[in-house]
Amino acid sequence: MISGRCHCGSIHYEMTAEVEHHALCHCTDCRRASGAPAVSWALVKRDNIRISGKPKSYASSPDAQRLFCGDCGTSLFYLNETIFPGMIDVQSATLDNPDVIPLGGQIQTAERIGWMADLNHLPSFERYPPFD
Ligand SMILES: [Zn+2]
Ligand SMILES: [Zn+2]
């Protein structure tokens, strides 16, 4: 089992590392809901995850519920019985060790922010760059 949590720790979860797929989503809905330029999702069977605490939910579209921590606001899960019956999508960046599940690919790149396509060519710093 692997574990994850929201920023404040009110919600934590344990799940198996076997996932149906694991993808970085660039869609506008994910961006707005998370406040981040992209969201990585690991799709797991609902029987294979145990969630402690009570996430708040928000209907982001008619069939979809996005679940988040009501205390600190961390986005955590996505439910959609039409597209993913019996499954739950987990925001894998909230895992304690996100590297445990290899990323399989990128989706919804039609809606990707332009500069997200070419990150490897930007200056990178292991920590904050020097301020001078
Ligand atoms: Zn929280
Ligand atoms: Zn998305």
Side-chain angles (χ1 to χ4, degrees):
M1 297 288 269
I2 57 176
S3 58
R5 64 172 178 87
C6 67
H7 193 237
C8 77
S10 294
I11 316 273
H12 41 105
Y13 61 92
E14 284 192 315
M15 60 183 243
T16 57
E18 301 110 56
V19 301
E20 299 296 307
H21 43 75
H22 183 206
L24 186 66
C25 186
H26 293 277
C27 85
T28 310
D29 281 349
C30 284
R31 286 216 308 270
R32 287 210 186 283
S34 65
V39 175
S40 57
W41 292 107
L43 186 66
V44 298
K45 292 192 176 76
R46 258 202 260 187
D47 291 343
N48 291 347
I49 185 168
R50 194 171 56 244
I51 299 170
S52 311
K54 272 219 168 296
K56 281 197 158 195
S57 71
Y58 162 70
S60 58
S61 58
D63 294 328
Q65 292 285 325
R66 287 178 187 261
L67 282 70
F68 58 96
C69 174
D71 292 328
C72 71
T74 304
S75 310
L76 292 158
F77 311 111
Y78 176 91
L79 292 170
N80 189 323
E81 277 304 310
T82 309
I83 308 175
F84 303 134
M87 312 288 287
I88 183 167
D89 240 348
V90 178
Q91 292 202 199
S92 63
T94 63
L95 285 166
D96 295 324
N97 181 3
D99 270 326
V100 171
I101 309 172
L103 191 67
Q106 303 187 59
I107 58 173
Q108 301 279 48
T109 56
E111 296 178 18
R112 179 169 56 193
I113 299 173
W115 45 255
M116 281 293 283
D118 207 21
L119 292 179
N120 288 338
H121 290 98
L122 292 173
S124 297
F125 306 89
E126 217 165 282
R127 300 292 179 194
Y128 292 115
F131 299 103
D132 54 21

